[in-house]
Amino acid sequence: MRIESLFDQQTQQIKIAVDCIIFGFNNNRLECLLIHREAEPQKGKWSLIGGFIGNDEDLDEAANRVLYNLSGLENVYMEQVKAFGKANRDPRGRTISITYTALILRSEYDDDKIKDHGAKWFPVNDLPELAFDHIDMVEAAIIRLRRRVRNTPIALNLIPEKFTIPQLQALYEGILDEPLDKRNFRRKIAQIEAIVKLGEKDMTASRRGAFLYAFDENLYNNTQYFNL
Amino acid sequence: MRIESLFDQQTQQIKIAVDCIIFGFNNNRLECLLIHREAEPQKGKWSLIGGFIGNDEDLDEAANRVLYNLSGLENVYMEQVKAFGKANRDPRGRTISITYTALILRSEYDDDKIKDHGAKWFPVNDLPELAFDHIDMVEAAIIRLRRRVRNTPIALNLIPEKFTIPQLQALYEGILDEPLDKRNFRRKIAQIEAIVKLGEKDMTASRRGAFLYAFDENLYNNTQYFNL
DNA sequence: GCAAAAGTGTTATATGTACACCCATGT
DNA sequence: ACATGGGTGTACATATAACACTTTTGC
């Protein structure tokens, strides 16, 4: 088959969508934003934030628009996970979906807007039944997330600009869903030049207080070193 | 925008294709299979093996069919790389392309069939000018390949069932495009249980002869260890 | 003075990297 | 005997994993 062969014909009838796997962090757990399906098929199940791609829209633009429409969030760092394209994956009609994933700060969300769309946060360890193949999408995104979170500073979007090391460790333990040794964790932090110690302490979580740190974007761009 | 919003309308006019980045190994170099474009646009440039997805075809099926049509190869181990979807990436019309990549043994190819399609092997370090955004696709696939080749036995598809260590090292040096230390390379091979030493020697490449090895699929499935 | 969280060092193990000489054989 | 490619071991640096006690402070 030549590359042009389908351009003349109008035979291809495939819709193409994006689905967003939005992770947030709450109660020391990783959560995922889902929408309640009010219509058949799979009415009552939950599904990812998704929508069809516009004719003149880049893929990432589509992902960002869909995310914006459903959450009000802009300029979110999203990465493509992969395309899902089994012929029968969506009973409504042939659809190929390209998944994007993001990590966001739940506190920056407009909760009312979320509720208007019938959306809700669920802990990733306790998801409801998902529509279509969305559970596969979430699993693929989690695997990717857990890898990326150790090599890139994406997780730092989930905590305030100034943070303590115990806070950051709790974040990582929540995302990775495993306990980390605090001495080893601190040693690794110390090796990351882009995480700089501030003079101040946070006194809210303990009597002694914990030193605050901040992530320096410029330093990170220079060193590119990040390993946790 | 609700997830259903485009299903009723017939507004979406996007074609969806697969493009295959097929790597082979020849003259101790990594090569990539390309097709010569005989038609406008970009007539005279070279492009990847690609085609549109059938309405009832899984994504991987489409990739395999396209590959089969252009090369006669079946049961090739292909992996999805990513989707390319810039709105203006193809001047012929809006097209989203999902890339798949494979490593194959050039000697198993039917060279006549390749020529019939105007296809040709090019060293990846010396590619001709490629159509559209295909150069980005090749680069993404090479990055992925170089990572995968160190963690999985996919490169073993490129050499005969029985092979010598110097052969395997040359293969890796060709794929990675960097010299490897032969003592370190041998030590790593020794740690991979799935690569088993045979009694025989290959006498064709040297006077002394070199021991032959083979990859044991079953052992690999048990141990899952592969690190080069 | 005690409860609660923050902070600190050492050792063992594994992995990566650099590096130079001897071995076996056909001619 | 020599040219050719095959084969071998050691030392150093780095990364990872396991593990227990002291410090600070508000009550």
Side-chain angles (χ1 to χ4, degrees):
Chain A
M1 175 186 286
R2 297 304 298 269
I3 217 171
E4 289 81 6
S5 60
L6 270 175
F7 263 113
D8 322 309
Q9 310 159 25
Q10 284 303 321
T11 55
Q12 202 183 40
Q13 292 292 341
I14 306 178
K15 296 240 177 265
I16 178 149
V18 289
D19 280 299
C20 300
I21 302 105
I22 307 298
F23 293 114
F25 190 68
N26 194 239
N27 290 327
N28 283 348
R29 287 182 309 188
L30 196 60
E31 297 183 340
C32 180
L33 192 59
L34 299 175
I35 295 180
H36 193 249
R37 292 189 57 77
E38 306 292 355
E40 294 294 349
Q42 317 234 11
K43 181 174 171 180
K45 288 191 182 174
W46 295 77
S47 67
L48 293 168
I49 292 173
F52 291 96
I53 296 167
N55 288 330
D56 300 313
E57 207 176 28
D58 290 351
L59 273 185
D60 352 11
E61 276 175 30
N64 276 290
R65 171 183 53 78
V66 167
L67 176 58
Y68 176 72
N69 286 347
L70 295 184
S71 71
L73 263 202
E74 286 182 280
N75 301 322
V76 173
Y77 177 72
M78 296 181 81
E79 292 178 349
Q80 192 189 119
V81 182
K82 58 175 287 197
F84 287 76
K86 283 230 168 295
N88 60 356
R89 57 174 290 279
D90 189 328
R92 294 168 296 182
R94 178 70 197 276
T95 306
I96 288 169
S97 177
I98 295 163
T99 47
Y100 276 80
T101 189
L103 269 169
I104 62 155
L105 236 178
R106 217 187 124 165
S107 64
E108 288 181 0
Y109 252 76
D110 177 346
D111 270 343
D112 292 336
K113 215 168 197 171
I114 287 178
K115 270 182 196 143
D116 288 348
H117 289 83
K120 198 178 159 192
W121 290 101
F122 288 89
V124 296
N125 286 335
D126 191 17
L127 292 177
E129 195 173 358
L130 298 190
F132 316 122
D133 54 356
H134 288 191
I135 188 65
D136 300 332
M137 294 177 172
V138 173
E139 281 169 7
I142 289 177
I143 288 170
R144 184 193 170 89
L145 173 66
R146 292 196 171 136
R147 184 164 25 89
R148 298 283 293 173
V149 101
R150 304 195 86 132
N151 303 319
T152 71
I154 49 174
L156 292 157
N157 295 321
L158 296 196
I159 44 174
E161 283 206 8
K162 298 177 178 184
F163 54 89
T164 68
I165 301 217
Q167 264 174 40
L168 188 63
Q169 182 175 344
L171 171 65
Y172 270 81
E173 289 178 334
I175 295 175
L176 299 173
D177 197 26
E178 60 180 341
L180 300 175
D181 181 279
K182 74 175 165 174
R183 281 174 288 191
N184 295 338
F185 189 77
R186 274 173 191 275
R187 182 181 11 262
K188 288 186 163 193
I189 296 284
Q191 286 168 352
I192 300 173
E193 287 183 51
I195 297 181
V196 298
K197 188 175 186 172
L198 307 175
E200 326 153 48
K201 279 192 171 183
D202 170 89
M203 302 306 291
T204 62
S206 72
R207 306 200 153 109
R208 179 179 180 174
F211 276 102
L212 286 165
Y213 290 74
F215 181 70
D216 184 324
E217 197 80 30
N218 288 331
L219 270 178
Y220 176 67
N221 289 335
N222 290 339
T223 61
Q224 290 293 112
Y225 181 81
F226 196 95
N227 191 19
L228 280 180
Chain B
M1 174 186 287
R2 297 305 297 269
I3 218 170
E4 289 81 7
S5 61
L6 271 174
F7 263 113
D8 321 310
Q9 310 159 23
Q10 284 303 321
T11 55
Q12 202 184 40
Q13 293 293 340
I14 306 178
K15 296 238 177 268
I16 179 150
V18 289
D19 279 299
C20 300
I21 301 105
I22 307 298
F23 294 114
F25 191 68
N26 194 239
N27 290 328
N28 282 348
R29 289 181 310 188
L30 195 59
E31 296 183 338
C32 180
L33 192 59
L34 300 174
I35 295 180
H36 193 249
R37 292 189 56 77
E38 306 292 355
E40 293 294 349
Q42 316 236 12
K43 180 175 170 180
K45 288 190 183 174
W46 295 78
S47 67
L48 293 168
I49 293 172
F52 292 96
I53 296 167
N55 288 331
D56 300 313
E57 206 175 30
D58 290 351
L59 272 186
D60 353 9
E61 276 175 30
N64 277 290
R65 172 183 54 77
V66 167
L67 176 58
Y68 176 72
N69 287 346
L70 295 184
S71 71
L73 263 202
E74 286 182 281
N75 301 322
V76 173
Y77 177 72
M78 295 182 82
E79 293 179 347
Q80 191 188 121
V81 183
K82 59 175 288 197
F84 286 77
K86 284 230 167 295
N88 60 356
R89 56 174 290 278
D90 189 327
R92 295 168 295 182
R94 178 69 197 276
T95 307
I96 288 169
S97 178
I98 295 163
T99 47
Y100 275 80
T101 189
L103 269 169
I104 61 155
L105 236 179
R106 221 188 121 166
S107 64
E108 287 181 1
Y109 252 74
D110 178 345
D111 270 342
D112 292 337
K113 217 169 195 170
I114 288 177
K115 272 183 196 144
D116 287 349
H117 289 82
K120 197 178 159 191
W121 290 101
F122 288 90
V124 297
N125 286 334
D126 192 18
L127 292 177
E129 197 175 356
L130 298 191
F132 317 122
D133 54 357
H134 287 190
I135 188 66
D136 301 332
M137 295 177 171
V138 173
E139 281 169 7
I142 289 177
I143 288 170
R144 184 193 170 90
L145 173 66
R146 291 196 170 135
R147 186 166 23 91
R148 298 283 293 172
V149 100
R150 304 195 87 133
N151 303 320
T152 70
I154 49 174
L156 292 157
N157 294 322
L158 296 196
I159 45 173
E161 283 207 8
K162 298 178 179 183
F163 54 89
T164 68
I165 301 218
Q167 262 173 43
L168 187 64
Q169 182 174 343
L171 171 65
Y172 271 81
E173 290 179 332
I175 295 175
L176 299 173
D177 196 24
E178 61 180 340
L180 300 175
D181 181 281
K182 75 177 167 174
R183 281 174 288 193
N184 295 339
F185 188 77
R186 273 172 192 274
R187 183 184 8 264
K188 289 187 162 192
I189 296 284
Q191 285 169 351
I192 301 172
E193 287 184 51
I195 297 181
V196 298
K197 187 174 184 172
L198 307 175
E200 327 153 47
K201 280 191 170 182
D202 169 86
M203 303 303 292
T204 62
S206 72
R207 304 198 154 111
R208 179 179 179 173
F211 276 103
L212 287 165
Y213 290 73
F215 181 72
D216 185 323
E217 198 81 30
N218 288 332
L219 270 178
Y220 176 67
N221 289 335
N222 290 340
T223 61
Q224 290 292 113
Y225 182 80
F226 195 95
N227 191 18
L228 278 181

